[in-house]
Amino acid sequence: MTTSTPPRIRNNWAVVITASVCAAVGSFDLGGVNVVLPQLAKHFDVQPAVIQWAVLAYLLPIGALALPSGRWLDTVGRRHAIVLLVAGFMVTSILVGLSPNLGILIVTRGLQGCFGAGLFAMTPVLAYEAVGQGSRVRAIAVLSGTGAVGGIAGPSIGAFTAEAFGWPWIFWMNVPILIAAIAMFWFRMPRDGGLRWPSLHFATETLLLGGAASSVLLALTWAANDRVDWLFLAAAAIPCLVVWRLTHRGTPVLRLTAIPGFGWSLLTLGLLTASGMSMQYLIAFFAERNLGFSVSQTGLALFVISIAIIPSTFFAGWLSSRFSLGVVAASGFVLITAGGLVASVLNTGWGFPQIAVIALVLGFGQGMVNSSATTISLGFAPPELTATAGSAMSFLRNTGLTAGPALMSAIWGLGFYSLVSMRSALVVAALLALLGAVSVTMSVRGLARVRVLTD
């Protein structure tokens, strides 16, 4: 059997870098808001429990539209779609800063989250497609590293900006960057297709999957911040998913999950964020409650995680030229597991150096997994479903970010928030990372089968 050689793709690093910056802006807007919630509560004269909607209003549409947005993005032109998403994110950012009351802020943050859902789905796809096969791991490494910078800069720059100029500038300071991104995408991306209105099928899918995602996200968020009883709210997702499964046969998401190994690759990303965020959550509490760290000391110690992610993403790209992506990702999970197990022997005699070393190991492991696992997941998708794959990946990542801390909070709470039960929760988090090593191995096996079938 003869096969034709695929045309060589000319690497478009300008698009890779611009997509990476846009992903960083989306992450920055989440982290930047978190640190000024007390200031927002005072400004709008509301209780802390109410002001959390400034964050939830952004997260809920990201979860609700994660899968449907990918479905729509696979039917429209890439260039027009990304320009629309960036422009929409920019306009809503301006409107958030102009909000005269909390109600308007919640609405505008929700609209910002709608465009953010598309951005988080599209940016890895653009980076992946802008370069040839041999450069894709490096392109995803650039995306992951730049995204980590956004996560690092969000809390620190957000706090400084709000204190110096006022909270609206957290949103307005991104406007020049987004204007430059729009120009770069418009002039450097190839002309492909135009835009079209989403179909009625899209609307019903959004309502059903949005209802399921929202109930799970709210249950996990409120359980982590308030009471474990809120986890029962997640049961509302079951009827939504059942109806969706019965009425949306042949949907692109189901086509992707039918590919051997793709489900394992999604599970890998969920386990990565769940284990990583769980460990950060527990270590932060330990540092402040048991070691007497100040908020700034804890932040500096955990800052090491984000710092370590940046070089490790590029190190993963270098390793992938010598070893398989599965080996690189599994090695990263082993590092995360080791960091969690070391952290599980928490001792009140510890100090900043011990916490920083653990943070360094966790960050390096996360960076190795993220770029490798992202490349593996996108490798499953046929060209017409890459945006759908990107949106599914975004959904699993966000689910892990909220599910991990909620699960650890429940385990910790069962032991009356003692140091012993905190150690148990860290062991569970380490086991999640170990399961990630298994899941990424299974996903690589599935990807090998897919490539054999398509050759």
Side-chain angles (χ1 to χ4, degrees):
M1 178 179 178
T2 60
T3 58
S4 59
T5 303
R8 189 169 183 263
I9 299 175
R10 182 180 180 182
N11 293 341
N12 192 341
W13 288 103
V15 171
V16 173
I17 294 171
T18 307
S20 302
V21 170
C22 289
V25 168
S27 300
F28 176 92
D29 265 35
L30 179 59
V33 172
N34 280 335
V35 297
V36 297
L37 288 180
Q39 185 178 349
L40 288 174
K42 182 178 180 180
H43 178 81
F44 292 115
D45 192 23
V46 296
Q47 296 298 320
V50 178
I51 202 62
Q52 71 172 327
W53 279 98
V55 175
L56 287 175
Y58 184 70
L59 287 175
L60 285 175
I62 289 177
L65 290 171
L67 297 179
S69 66
R71 172 187 175 86
W72 177 70
L73 290 169
D74 274 326
T75 66
V76 298
R78 295 277 194 259
R79 187 176 71 147
H80 284 83
I82 191 62
V83 167
L84 171 66
L85 292 171
V86 175
F89 194 89
M90 179 184 68
V91 171
T92 51
S93 296
I94 296 172
L95 294 177
V96 171
L98 294 173
S99 299
N101 55 59
L102 182 61
I104 299 298
L105 182 138
I106 290 173
V107 171
T108 51
R109 278 287 279 173
L111 291 173
Q112 189 186 35
C114 291
F115 291 104
L119 275 182
F120 286 126
M122 275 292 284
T123 48
V125 173
L126 292 180
Y128 184 84
E129 293 181 338
V131 297
Q133 184 71 36
S135 301
R136 283 175 172 169
V137 178
R138 282 182 291 158
I140 296 299
V142 171
L143 182 83
S144 302
T146 309
V149 171
I152 295 170
S156 54
I157 295 181
F160 169 79
T161 302
E163 185 175 353
F165 306 105
W167 67 265
W169 283 96
I170 293 176
F171 304 97
W172 296 344
M173 66 187 299
N174 291 326
V175 171
I177 298 173
L178 296 176
I179 291 175
I182 290 172
M184 184 65 71
F185 283 133
W186 187 256
F187 291 109
R188 294 304 301 267
M189 288 185 66
R191 297 171 184 248
D192 40 18
L195 297 174
R196 67 174 70 177
W197 285 102
S199 64
L200 180 62
H201 195 75
F202 170 91
T204 57
E205 188 172 37
T206 299
L207 289 174
L208 292 170
L209 292 179
S214 297
S215 61
V216 172
L217 179 60
L218 287 173
L220 294 173
T221 302
W222 288 341
N225 294 330
D226 192 2
R227 293 173 53 189
V228 179
D229 299 353
W230 279 112
L231 288 175
F232 289 106
L233 179 62
I238 296 175
C240 293
L241 292 175
V242 169
V243 174
W244 170 74
R245 182 66 178 83
L246 294 174
T247 58
H248 289 72
R249 299 180 185 277
T251 186
V253 177
L254 295 179
R255 285 177 56 193
L256 282 172
T257 54
I259 298 175
F262 181 71
W264 286 108
S265 72
L266 293 182
L267 179 61
T268 298
L269 295 172
L271 289 170
L272 169 63
T273 54
S275 60
M277 187 56 66
S278 296
M279 294 176 191
Q280 293 181 50
Y281 167 77
L282 293 169
I283 291 172
F285 268 102
F286 173 75
E288 292 187 28
R289 289 190 176 189
N290 299 90
L291 300 182
F293 280 24
S294 66
V295 175
S296 59
Q297 284 178 307
T298 303
L300 183 61
L302 295 181
F303 182 79
V304 176
I305 294 179
S306 299
I307 290 293
I309 286 175
I310 298 173
S312 66
T313 56
F314 296 101
F315 180 64
W318 177 81
L319 280 180
S320 66
S321 64
R322 291 157 176 78
F323 304 96
S324 71
L325 288 173
V327 170
V328 175
S331 300
F333 271 123
V334 169
L335 282 177
I336 299 172
T337 303
L341 291 176
V342 172
S344 69
V345 295
L346 297 168
N347 191 300
T348 53
W350 285 9
F352 186 89
Q354 289 88 343
I355 299 297
V357 168
I358 292 174
L360 182 67
V361 173
L362 293 178
F364 207 86
Q366 289 178 40
M368 288 181 64
V369 175
N370 190 40
S371 56
S372 305
T374 299
T375 306
I376 291 169
S377 295
L378 287 172
F380 282 96
E384 70 275 11
L385 294 180
T386 48
T388 300
S391 63
M393 292 157 54
S394 175
F395 177 75
L396 262 293
R397 280 196 179 99
N398 289 325
T399 300
L401 286 174
T402 49
L407 175 61
M408 298 312 126
S409 180
I411 295 172
W412 186 22
L414 288 174
F416 302 101
Y417 299 101
S418 66
L419 182 57
V420 173
S421 60
M422 179 183 282
R423 289 170 175 164
S424 299
L426 280 165
V427 171
V428 173
L431 290 176
L432 291 180
L434 192 59
L435 286 175
V438 175
S439 66
V440 76
T441 301
M442 298 300 294
S443 67
V444 169
R445 290 181 179 178
L447 185 59
R449 289 176 57 193
V450 170
R451 288 175 174 171
V452 168
L453 291 173
T454 55
D455 284 344

